[in-house]
């Protein structure tokens, strides 16, 4: 059986990396190895997980410096004997071992605008065509792993921005509201508010790490920025609005 | 203990899956002060993992569909053991609940005329499952979660309830601990809704996460609530079998609904050999007819690949036992040779990724290897069909933890609809009950102090490793109370459970109290042992085979057992098992079954 | 204390073991090389280095604007280059690239950035990036102009129709510049992305089709950005080399 050489963050803020050797079998993922470590050598190792299949977004960690889902990182992707460093999401306050306090995200979620849909038609259905919703369905794939929030330098390196900046996960949600074919929210509640969108410098790290493959920057953030340009920065549109009345 | 952190509510909802969230939304809408507790972070409950869809007879794809057909399918799927009234309410209200989800933001896939698209699933006469690709549960939980956070519900995440508290006969709150700090927390509540989901973690091969430890089943039983149908555990026919670390992870039935077929190693579509008489009239008996059915539901009969789950799970079990299984002990599920790559990736994106990333298998090119996995508990807290009230005043239950709705076997897609239909009713009635009470019921401070101290015992020293105890229980249940059961094996299981219970008093966990998963497991073991015992005792009592309960020593269904529920009750330390008659179905509903 | 230093203190600057710095170094180097080359070729050398050869005109100078009142030392490229310069500087893709490579904001994903404070594009000067839409309108005007230059390159005064290596280079260049512009995020938004309902009328359905096509192009915006950048540099170099007699153009004409 091959052995993995792990370097796992243990403890809280004043903790440190601890090295372990753990045996593993073909086909295992990092989370399996962490579980084996837990069952054999470190019974109190704190780690979050639920589905083991990349569906719940619980097991996020930084593996060899890259934010990833532990349950979707196969051991086969490492070369034999390589040291595998496993750290918690570094952007968030650490609780213990691989578990961090992600409550900031839940607080931001409360500030997001709620969808307000127009009513159903006479037959009792809300009609929407597939072509009207496939864009938003991409956004709704989000499993709230907060890996994008972790990697985003706006808050990772400048936590003082946390009050003004919702972060990529919530730009995805905001885009969902803004583009919903039946949503009745005024622009002031979505696009115009912005939730700190202009702090994003579209450097795309969020897109690079999103385990759901959501094109966060190209399909959510940039389109939202463009909608803001429509509102505030496009002189031709402004003239159009003056001439033909506000749309 | 005066210094224990305390929260006071009208309604406390334990569990933030679909059922718990829907209950909390309803309770707070009625003006009840509502608290919500969950073991994981918000949005990570099992519901998030549901794939295939939510069953509701909206008739968007086949206008022939209506609640009567859905009701009939549900009852027949449950082998007529369901609480008929629950099945009826469920079939009648599901369409409204689905539309309500849409209003709150869920974006289901669409039909050509812009309505909600519905897909085929096992046991459903018509294409009936509203869905979003193969991530319907995610859509549902996110919608409810986003709706709930704007409703002023107080959410306590990563908090585990360990005891229910009573004031005399009625419920008065719950005692739990913060997983993060290990500190105790007291919830005083006039009414409690249990929505804690399933108990799959009692078995070795399961689709459930660490949360599925049957806490709610155990808490309710300990509080004196009647439990019914505990013997019925659904083994989903298609879990992954390889690699070993993902064994049990679910492969959605949607694969078969969208054209996938089961084959043994000689390439035979073996399901044609396992069509039971009850379903013979509506199941295709030739491959040609089965293939036609995907496009023509009216003139062709459905493929046997989509028989109810218990039938398919047993068939796979027999094929493997007869030596026609794959090297890893499963059978093949093939969609690659029948559907285009583009179609598979569009309809089953997360299955595609799951197999690609976890098993290195490209399902658009190769067949999958699948086998049965413990998936769903049909049994649970006995509830009143209209109000979701348990037999303990003030205690309500909804979702997987409640029993009766699905009888001896649940149809795919009927769980997600169950969650919102009965979640809503539980929230509504708990709120009404709570708002009707004048004062806050009292809690027993002595009991709280006692439990707050005893909960720390695993730190004091002993010699048993909680992970080992859990593994032994899982192996024991898988072996002896699994898909195929016999009296003698189940009695061995009872002995083992008693032994494990004894050893649990000697459990030892290392480290300290903060976020200590070993300690949490040690505490969950108590629940798992109680639940395992209830399953086993009920299964011994039911001397027949039916739905999710198959006995080698009583291979056939018996008419007498078809008229009763097995009820398990705990009084003090004594657990009793009795048979009680099923509620009688009214004649106009009986007519639906005469054809 | 800012947490940036917290992270560094606790976990180190980065634990990435891959060569994450190659990408920003490579792309940054590429951009720098282009900026230096184009400044020298179009602005510094300007009129003193011939940029016209027979039917070919360097794309940096297309369309040629040379009013008499402008002194000889000012390159005619100044009337042209502000447009592509503005367009590319405010382009979402280039922004990403130079923020990473030049501003190290961030140098790589999950790599601690050096700056002490950060306000992104919310304040001056970076708030000006929102002018990208304006530059897009200008860039759209340039597409036909560049095609005009490319077609002109097939017509030698006095001899008429013909083809040379230079005409092919200018054609490819016009195509790549067009694709770069068509794959622009801002255009994708204008064409259809700004709509909430695609199915509402046949007009919006048509816009959805256009949006689908532009989205395909947009996925490779990075590719178009680099291909067109390289091609415009090479086209300029080629025309200069031919114009200054370093290279002879292979063509069908007899007298050029
Ligand atoms: C992989 C998979 C796929 C499925 N696919 C489908 C499908 O396609 N269609 C369908 O209809 N059904 C499907 N099911 C079944 C369905 O998802 C579940 O039955 C359903 O989600 C259960 O919902 P619930 O609200 O009852 O509980 P859960 O979603 O399981 O939530 C339980 C909640 O209770 C909390 N909890 C538990 N114990 C405690 C405690 N002691 N203290 C505090 N909180 C506690 C948990 O933290 C959690 O929040 C699937 C199930 C799985 C596992
Ligand atoms: S693209 Fe924007 S939101 Fe995404 S990581 Fe970069 S700065 Fe953050
Ligand atoms: S957008 Fe992607 S990375 Fe961000 S939370 Fe959602 S799934 Fe995770
Ligand atoms: S455990 Fe659910 S995403 Fe990894
Ligand atoms: S985004 Fe690059 S040109 Fe507009």
């Amino acid at each position: 059986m091959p052995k993995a050489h792990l370097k796992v963050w243990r403890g809280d803020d004043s903790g440190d990396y601890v090295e372990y050797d753990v045996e593993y079998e073909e086909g295992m993922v990092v989370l399996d190895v962490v579980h084996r470590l837990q069952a054999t050598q470190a019974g109190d190792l704190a780690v979050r997980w639920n589905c083991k299949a990349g569906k719940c977004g619980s097991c996020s960690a930084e593996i060899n410096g890259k934010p990833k889902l532990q349950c979707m990182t196969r051991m086969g992707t490492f070369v034999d004997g390589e040291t595998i460093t496993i750290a918690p999401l570094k952007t968030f306050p650490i609780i213990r071992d691989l578990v961090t306090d992600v409550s900031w995200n839940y607080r931001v979620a409360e500030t997001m605008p709620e969808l307000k849909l127009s009513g159903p038609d006479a037959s009792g259905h809300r009609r929407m065509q597939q072509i009207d919703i496939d864009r938003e369905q991409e956004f709704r794939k989000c499993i709230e792993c907060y890996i994008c929030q972790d990697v985003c330098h706006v808050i990772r390196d400048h936590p003082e921005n946390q009050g003004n900046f919702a972060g990529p996960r919530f730009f995805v949600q905001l885009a969902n509201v803004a583009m919903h074919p039946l949503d009745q929210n005024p622009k002031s509640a979505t696009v115009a508010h912005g939730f700190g969108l202009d702090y994003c410098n579209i450097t795309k790290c969020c897109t690079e790490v999103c385990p759901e493959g959501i094109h966060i920057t190209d399909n959510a953030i940039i389109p939202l920025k463009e909608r803001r340009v429509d509102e505030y920065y496009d002189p031709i549109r402004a003239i159009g609005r003056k001439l033909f009345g506000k749309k | 203990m005066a210094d224990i952190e305390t929260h006071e509510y009208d309604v406390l909802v334990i569990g933030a899956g679909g059922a718990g969230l829907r209950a909390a939304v309803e309770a707070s809408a009625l003006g009840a002060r509502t608290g919500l507790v969950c073991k994981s972070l918000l949005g990570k409950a099992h519901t998030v993992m549901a794939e295939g869809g939510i069953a509701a007879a909206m008739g968007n794809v086949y206008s022939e569909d209506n609640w009567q057909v859905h009701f009939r399918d549900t009852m027949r799927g449950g082998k007529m053991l369901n609480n008929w009234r629950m099945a009826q309410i469920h079939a009648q209200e599901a369409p409204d609940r689905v539309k309500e989800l849409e209003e709150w933001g869920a974006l289901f896939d669409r039909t050509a005329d812009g309505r909600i698209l519905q897909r085929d699933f096992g046991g459903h006469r018509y294409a009936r499952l509203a869905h979003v690709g193969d991530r319907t549960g995610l859509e549902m939980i996110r919608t409810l979660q986003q709706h709930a956070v704007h409703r002023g519900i107080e959410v306590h995440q990563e908090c585990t309830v360990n005891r229910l508290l009573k004031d005399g006969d009625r419920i008065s709150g719950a005692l739990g601990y913060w997983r993060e700090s290990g500190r105790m927390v007291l919830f005083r509540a006039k009414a409690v809704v249990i929505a804690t989901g399933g108990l799959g973690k009692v078995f070795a091969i399961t689709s459930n996460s660490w949360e599925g430890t049957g806490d709610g089943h155990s808490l309710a039983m300990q509080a004196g609530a009647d439990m019914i149908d505990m013997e019925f555990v659904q083994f989903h026919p298609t879990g992954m079998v390889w690699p070993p670390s993902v064994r049990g992870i679910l492969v959605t039935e949607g694969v078969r609904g969208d054209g996938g077929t089961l084959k043994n190693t000689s390439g035979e579509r073996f399901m044609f050999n396992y069509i039971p008489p009850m379903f013979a009239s509506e199941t295709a008996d030739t491959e040609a007819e089965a293939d036609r059915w995907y496009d023509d539901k009216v003139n062709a009969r459905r493929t046997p690949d989509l028989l109810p789950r218990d039938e398919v799970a047993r068939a796979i079990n027999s094929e493997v036992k007869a030596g026609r299984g794959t090297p890893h002990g499963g059978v093949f599920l093939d969609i690659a040779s029948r559907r285009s790559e583009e179609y598979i990736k569009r309809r089953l994106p997360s299955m595609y990724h799951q197999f690609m990333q976890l098993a290195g298998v490209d399902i658009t090119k190769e067949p999958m290897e699948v086998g049965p996995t413990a998936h769903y508990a049909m049994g649970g807290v006995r509830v009143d069909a209209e109000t979701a009230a348990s037999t303990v005043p003030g205690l309500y239950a909804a979702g997987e933890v409640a029993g009766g709705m699905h009888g001896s076997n649940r149809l795919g897609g009927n769980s997600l609809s169950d969650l919102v239909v009965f979640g809503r009713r539980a929230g509504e009635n708990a709120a009404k009950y709570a708002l009707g009470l004048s004062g806050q019921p009292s809690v027993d401070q002595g009991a709280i102090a006692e439990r707050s101290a005893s909960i720390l015992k695993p730190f004091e020293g002993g010699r048993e490793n909680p992970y080992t105890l859990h593994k032994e229980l899982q192996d024991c249940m898988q072996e002896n109370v699994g898909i195929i059961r016999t009296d003698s094996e189940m009695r061995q299981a009872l002995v083992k459970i008693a032994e494990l219970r004894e050893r649990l008093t000697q459990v030892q966990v290392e480290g300290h109290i903060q976020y200590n998963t070993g300690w949490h497991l040690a505490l969950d073991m108590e629940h798992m042992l109680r639940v395992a015992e209830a399953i086993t005792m009920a299964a011994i009592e039911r001397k027949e085979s039916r739905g999710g309960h198959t006995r080698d020593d009583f291979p056939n269904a018996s008419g007498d057992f078809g008229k009763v529920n097995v009820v398990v009750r705990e009084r003090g330390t004594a657990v009793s098992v009795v048979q009680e008659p099923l509620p009688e179905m009214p004649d106009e509903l009986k007519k639906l079954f005469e054809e | 204390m800012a947490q940036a230093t917290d992270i560094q203190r606790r976990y180190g600057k980065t634990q990435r073991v891959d060569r994450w710095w190659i990408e920003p170094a490579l792309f940054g180097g590429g951009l720098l090389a282009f900026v230096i080359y184009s400044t020298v070729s179009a602005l510094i050398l300007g009129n003193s280095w011939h940029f016209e050869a027979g039917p070919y005109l360097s794309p940096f100078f297309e369309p040629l604007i040379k009013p008499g009142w402008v002194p000889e030392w000012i390159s005619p490229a100044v009337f042209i280059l502000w447009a592509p310069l503005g367009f590319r500087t405010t382009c979402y893709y280039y922004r990403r690239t130079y923020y990473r490579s030049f501003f190290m904001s961030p140098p790589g994903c999950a790599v601690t950035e050096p700056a002490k404070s950060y306000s992104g594009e919310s304040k001056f000067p970076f708030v000006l990036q929102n002018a990208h839409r304006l530059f897009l309108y200008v860039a759209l005007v340039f597409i036909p102009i560049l095609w005009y230059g490319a077609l002109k390159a097939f017509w030698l005064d006095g001899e008429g129709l013909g083809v040379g290596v230079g005409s092919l280079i200018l054609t490819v260049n016009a195509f790549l510049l067009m694709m770069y512009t068509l794959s622009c995020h801002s255009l994708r938004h204008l064409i259809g992305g700004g709509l909430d309902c695609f199915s509402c009328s046949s007009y919006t359905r048509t816009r959805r089709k256009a949006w689908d096509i532009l989205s395909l192009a947009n996925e490779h915006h990075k590719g178009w950005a680099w291909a067109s950048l390289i091609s415009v540099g090479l086209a300029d170099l080629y025309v200069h080399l031919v114009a200054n007699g370093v290279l002879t153009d292979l063509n069908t004409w007899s007298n050029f």
Side-chain angles (χ1 to χ4, degrees):
Chain A
M1 240 191 268
K3 261 195 183 149
H5 186 66
L6 302 185
K7 234 173 98 182
V8 184
W9 184 266
R10 294 305 310 268
D12 53 16
D13 185 56
S14 52
D16 206 346
Y17 291 101
V18 178
E19 307 199 15
Y20 302 93
D21 286 303
V22 188
E23 289 186 336
Y24 70 95
E25 289 130 49
E26 196 201 336
M28 275 194 167
V29 293
V30 168
L31 185 63
D32 294 319
V33 178
V34 168
H35 276 154
R36 182 163 287 181
L37 174 63
Q38 201 181 39
T40 54
Q41 303 175 44
D44 62 341
L45 175 72
V47 58
R48 283 193 183 109
W49 68 283
N50 277 291
C51 68
K52 273 195 70 182
K55 295 194 165 94
C56 71
S58 302
C59 64
S60 318
E62 298 194 12
I63 302 170
N64 279 350
K66 282 195 191 163
K68 284 188 173 163
L69 296 177
Q70 295 173 68
C71 71
M72 294 307 265
T73 308
R74 298 182 74 188
M75 292 303 290
T77 56
F78 302 103
V79 287
D80 243 358
E82 179 180 349
T83 303
I84 305 170
T85 313
I86 310 177
L89 296 181
K90 298 174 186 171
T91 298
F92 305 115
I94 182 161
I95 293 174
R96 213 162 74 80
D97 304 340
L98 301 179
V99 174
T100 52
D101 175 4
V102 292
S103 57
W104 171 68
N105 297 287
Y106 287 93
R107 287 196 297 277
V108 175
E110 288 171 17
T111 67
M112 284 287 118
E114 248 193 300
L115 279 162
K116 292 191 183 74
L117 301 199
S118 53
D121 67 8
S123 67
H125 294 277
R126 282 191 169 75
R127 307 260 171 180
M128 287 180 259
Q129 292 295 323
Q130 191 65 39
I131 55 165
D132 294 323
I133 62 162
D134 47 13
R135 234 183 348 176
E136 293 92 281
Q137 282 185 329
E138 180 191 12
F139 305 146
R140 299 186 65 87
K141 288 196 309 195
C142 170
I143 56 174
E144 299 202 330
C145 62
Y146 303 130
I147 282 179
C148 56
Q149 305 283 81
D150 176 60
V151 84
C152 178
H153 70 119
V154 178
I155 37 190
R156 185 183 178 94
D157 296 332
H158 308 283
E160 66 278 7
N161 288 333
Q162 282 190 2
N164 312 322
F165 179 76
R169 188 276 167 262
F170 295 101
F171 295 144
V172 167
Q173 187 174 332
L174 190 63
N176 177 205
V177 178
M179 296 177 192
H180 196 295
L182 301 182
D183 182 58
Q184 306 292 309
N185 272 298
K187 284 212 175 77
S188 57
T190 57
V191 177
H193 184 299
F195 297 88
L197 194 68
D198 38 15
Y199 278 72
C200 162
N201 66 354
I202 49 167
T203 33
K204 275 197 166 175
C205 289
C206 49
T207 307
E208 272 178 37
V209 297
C210 176
E212 283 294 297
I214 301 172
H215 297 83
I216 303 175
T217 326
D218 288 356
N219 289 350
I221 295 179
I222 294 178
L224 282 173
K225 283 194 175 231
E226 284 297 313
R227 282 170 188 241
R228 283 173 68 77
V229 171
D230 285 349
E231 290 292 296
Y232 299 124
Y233 303 105
D234 185 340
I236 295 193
R237 286 211 165 212
I239 293 168
R241 274 198 294 261
K242 280 261 151 52
L243 290 181
F244 305 109
K246 204 173 161 89
K247 269 208 292 203
Chain B
M1 276 192 36
D3 58 346
I4 185 168
E5 176 186 345
T6 305
H7 300 269
E8 213 175 276
Y9 297 112
D10 294 324
V11 177
L12 176 73
V13 180
I14 308 175
L21 281 165
R22 188 64 190 82
V25 164
E26 195 66 18
S28 81
L30 291 178
R33 289 168 303 155
T34 307
L36 182 61
V37 205
C38 50
K39 283 210 278 190
S40 288
L41 294 172
L42 188 59
K44 313 294 181 194
H46 258 126
T47 303
V48 80
M49 293 149 66
E51 294 157 355
I54 169 166
M58 296 191 286
N60 289 356
V61 174
Y62 285 88
S63 57
E64 294 89 343
D65 201 11
N66 54 39
W67 75 259
Q68 284 93 341
V69 187
H70 190 185
F71 167 74
R72 181 175 155 271
D73 290 346
T74 302
M75 291 295 297
R76 294 185 14 135
K79 307 279 152 52
M80 305 304 287
L81 217 66
N82 320 49
N83 176 316
W84 66 267
R85 182 59 186 144
M86 287 179 90
Q88 184 189 26
I89 291 175
H90 168 257
Q92 287 172 329
E93 294 184 359
D96 285 344
R97 296 285 82 75
V98 171
K99 286 186 186 163
E100 175 181 83
L101 287 172
E102 180 169 78
E103 181 181 346
W104 294 345
L107 285 174
F108 296 103
D109 290 349
R110 316 308 294 181
T111 62
D113 65 353
R115 292 180 294 168
I116 294 173
L117 180 62
Q118 300 184 271
R119 73 150 48 115
D120 282 306
F121 238 54
H124 292 283
R125 176 82 181 86
Y126 297 109
R128 185 180 286 147
L129 269 69
H131 61 276
V132 190
D134 52 5
R135 52 165 191 84
T136 315
L138 170 65
E139 189 71 13
M140 176 161 158
I141 199 162
R142 203 63 82 230
T143 302
L144 287 169
Q145 174 190 344
Q146 289 174 358
H147 190 74
V149 298
H150 289 101
R151 302 269 106 52
I153 298 160
E154 273 183 48
V155 184
H156 305 279
Q157 309 183 39
E158 300 202 306
C159 178
T160 305
V161 170
N162 189 259
R163 282 285 184 281
L164 293 179
L165 302 170
K166 282 167 66 176
D167 174 8
D169 275 346
R170 60 183 178 158
I171 234 47
S172 64
L175 187 64
Y177 59 88
W178 293 108
R179 301 192 343 116
E180 180 183 328
S181 64
R183 276 201 293 275
M184 300 298 290
V185 51
L186 168 65
F187 300 99
R188 301 189 58 176
K190 295 179 186 164
V192 170
V193 178
I194 306 194
T196 50
L199 47 72
K201 272 287 154 188
V202 168
F203 295 90
I205 301 176
T206 176
S207 66
N208 290 18
S209 81
W210 70 270
E211 287 198 310
T213 49
D215 294 11
H217 290 81
S218 164
L219 291 169
M221 192 169 148
Q222 195 183 21
D226 283 3
M227 309 298 288
I228 59 169
D229 298 342
M230 291 299 288
E231 65 276 29
F232 298 116
V233 175
Q234 179 168 78
F235 288 83
H236 193 292
T238 58
M240 292 176 81
V241 296
W242 194 90
S245 59
V246 298
R247 192 166 188 129
I249 288 182
L250 197 76
V251 179
T252 175
E253 196 165 309
V255 175
R256 282 170 285 143
D258 286 343
T261 55
L262 292 163
K263 293 177 180 167
N264 59 24
T265 33
S266 30
E268 182 195 6
R269 287 171 65 175
F270 58 84
M271 279 313 298
F272 288 96
N273 309 330
Y274 293 92
I275 303 171
M278 184 177 188
F279 295 100
S281 67
E282 58 196 58
T283 307
D285 47 16
T286 63
E287 295 192 11
E289 182 179 0
D291 288 346
R292 262 204 328 276
W293 170 84
Y294 288 104
D295 305 310
D296 180 6
K297 305 271 162 5
V298 182
N299 297 311
R301 292 172 298 172
R302 72 175 30 238
T303 170
D305 291 295
L306 284 172
L307 280 166
R309 290 177 176 172
D310 53 328
E311 312 286 354
V312 184
R314 272 193 300 273
I316 294 176
N317 202 49
S318 311
E319 285 296 304
V320 175
K321 278 216 169 125
R324 293 188 290 269
T326 65
H328 299 119
V331 294
F332 289 119
L333 173 58
D334 170 31
I335 190 164
S337 68
R338 298 168 53 86
R339 294 286 183 260
S340 71
E341 178 174 340
E342 192 270 333
Y343 180 88
I344 297 171
K345 284 189 182 163
R346 179 165 50 81
R347 301 282 297 177
L348 303 161
S350 62
M351 281 302 108
Y352 172 74
H353 284 289
Q354 183 173 314
F355 272 89
M356 203 58 161
Q357 299 199 17
L358 295 176
V361 168
D362 182 348
I363 67 166
T364 66
K365 304 208 164 55
E366 313 157 62
M368 298 158 247
E369 274 184 80
V370 296
T373 176
H375 183 54
Y376 186 88
M378 269 71 73
V381 181
R382 177 190 238 173
V383 290
D384 175 65
E386 311 285 338
T387 62
S390 76
T391 49
V392 174
L395 183 63
Y396 295 76
E400 189 170 342
V401 70
M405 159 69 209
H406 304 286
S408 68
N409 175 51
R410 173 180 72 91
L411 295 186
N414 268 1
S415 171
L416 291 187
S417 40
D418 170 11
L419 306 184
V420 275
V421 168
F422 292 103
R424 180 181 144 275
R425 281 179 169 257
E428 175 191 342
N429 289 288
K432 284 185 182 156
Y433 166 88
L435 296 174
L437 289 189
S438 48
Q440 202 80 20
S442 69
V443 291
D444 177 351
Q445 294 294 346
I448 294 169
E450 188 278 318
R451 186 56 192 156
S452 304
S454 66
I455 207 167
L456 297 173
K457 197 161 163 278
F459 288 102
E460 281 163 16
R463 50 186 159 16
E464 298 287 351
N465 177 331
Y467 297 96
T468 312
L469 293 180
H470 184 210
K471 175 107 196 355
E472 287 185 28
L473 174 68
Q474 289 184 304
D475 289 342
C476 158
M477 290 300 284
Q478 187 80 30
E479 270 299 296
N480 301 317
V481 201
I483 306 183
I484 311 287
R485 303 162 171 175
T486 63
D487 188 76
S488 57
E489 285 179 350
M490 289 192 286
R491 290 191 190 277
Q492 280 172 30
L494 284 182
V495 173
K496 180 77 184 179
I497 291 168
E499 174 208 313
L500 289 170
R501 188 170 281 150
E502 188 51 39
R503 284 165 61 193
L504 184 63
T505 61
Q506 297 301 315
V507 73
Q508 157 77 45
V509 297
E510 49 178 294
H512 46 87
I513 190 166
Q514 282 158 15
Y515 220 103
N516 186 329
T517 27
W519 180 47
H520 302 158
L521 179 62
L523 296 173
D524 288 346
M525 271 306 287
E526 178 198 341
H527 299 308
M528 282 190 272
L529 287 170
R530 179 178 284 107
V531 166
E533 186 180 52
I535 295 173
T536 312
M537 288 174 74
I540 291 174
E541 180 73 13
R542 186 170 284 277
K543 296 180 180 55
E544 65 155 356
S545 292
R546 179 184 297 269
H549 171 67
T550 307
R551 291 195 48 168
D552 229 6
D553 42 358
F554 299 96
N556 299 316
S558 111
D560 290 345
F561 274 106
K563 298 197 185 79
V564 294
N565 288 124
V566 174
V567 181
V568 185
R569 293 195 176 97
E570 186 175 304
R571 291 287 178 271
T573 52
V575 178
S576 65
V577 182
V578 291
Q579 300 178 18
E580 292 186 8
L582 284 174
E584 181 80 18
M585 194 189 298
D587 288 339
E588 77 263 22
L589 290 180
K590 278 190 186 147
K591 282 203 204 88
L592 294 171
F593 298 89
E594 295 159 7
E595 42 165 78
Chain C
M1 198 207 319
Q3 205 178 341
T5 45
D6 264 11
I7 288 189
Q8 235 172 318
R9 168 182 60 73
R10 197 185 301 139
Y11 306 101
K13 189 162 171 251
T14 184
Q15 244 109 35
R16 285 184 66 168
V17 289
D18 55 337
R19 271 169 285 197
W20 58 266
W21 39 267
I22 286 188
E23 197 206 282
L26 214 63
F27 288 158
L31 276 187
L32 204 62
F34 180 84
V35 169
I36 294 173
Y37 169 79
S38 55
T39 313
V40 171
S41 162
L43 299 178
I44 300 182
L45 296 177
N47 283 324
S48 60
W49 200 33
H50 300 297
F51 48 79
E52 261 183 306
Y56 310 150
L57 171 64
S58 154
F60 286 165
F61 298 83
E62 188 76 62
L64 190 56
I65 300 173
K66 226 180 152 180
W69 49 266
V70 179
E72 188 63 17
W73 57 269
I74 290 187
S75 165
V78 298
F79 297 108
I80 310 301
L81 280 190
W82 61 271
L85 179 72
F87 190 45
R88 293 206 183 227
T89 314
T90 57
C91 160
Y92 288 99
Y93 170 70
Y94 285 109
R95 269 142 81 182
R96 172 200 120 107
T97 305
Y98 63 74
Y99 284 139
R100 281 202 192 190
S101 300
F102 300 157
F103 293 84
M104 302 224 269
S105 171
C109 299
V111 180
T112 303
E113 75 179 51
K116 286 275 167 289
S117 76
Y118 174 88
S119 56
E121 302 187 334
S122 66
K123 296 209 175 88
F124 186 81
F126 294 115
V127 68
L128 295 179
Q129 305 284 28
N130 287 305
H132 188 59
R133 178 76 59 81
L134 270 183
F135 285 112
L136 168 67
Y137 293 140
V138 177
L140 288 171
V141 175
F142 267 82
I143 296 181
I145 295 177
L146 284 159
W147 275 112
Y148 169 73
L151 293 179
K152 216 174 53 185
F154 290 89
W155 187 272
L156 185 64
D157 280 345
E159 282 198 44
L161 216 52
V163 59
V165 172
S167 16
L168 296 179
I169 287 181
L170 288 173
T171 307
V172 169
N173 182 51
F175 173 74
L176 291 174
L177 287 169
M178 175 182 77
M179 286 313 295
Y180 170 63
T181 310
L182 290 184
S183 62
C184 166
H185 287 278
S186 208
L187 184 63
R188 177 176 180 237
H189 168 81
L190 281 180
I191 285 290
L195 294 172
D196 293 344
C197 179
F198 290 122
S199 67
C200 286
S201 70
S202 61
Y203 171 60
T204 53
R205 278 182 188 274
T206 313
R207 283 178 66 183
R208 162 73 189 219
K209 292 209 182 88
W211 180 76
D212 280 338
I213 296 168
L214 289 197
S215 297
L216 280 183
N218 177 261
E219 270 180 44
H220 305 288
H221 191 53
K222 173 183 178 179
W224 297 120
W226 281 106
S228 60
L229 193 75
I230 293 168
S231 98
V232 77
L234 287 181
D236 172 77
L237 182 65
Y238 184 81
V239 175
H240 272 105
L241 293 183
V242 173
N244 293 283
V246 184
L247 277 183
T248 322
D249 184 58
L250 273 179
N251 58 48
T252 57
W253 294 290
S254 53
N255 199 11
F256 157 62

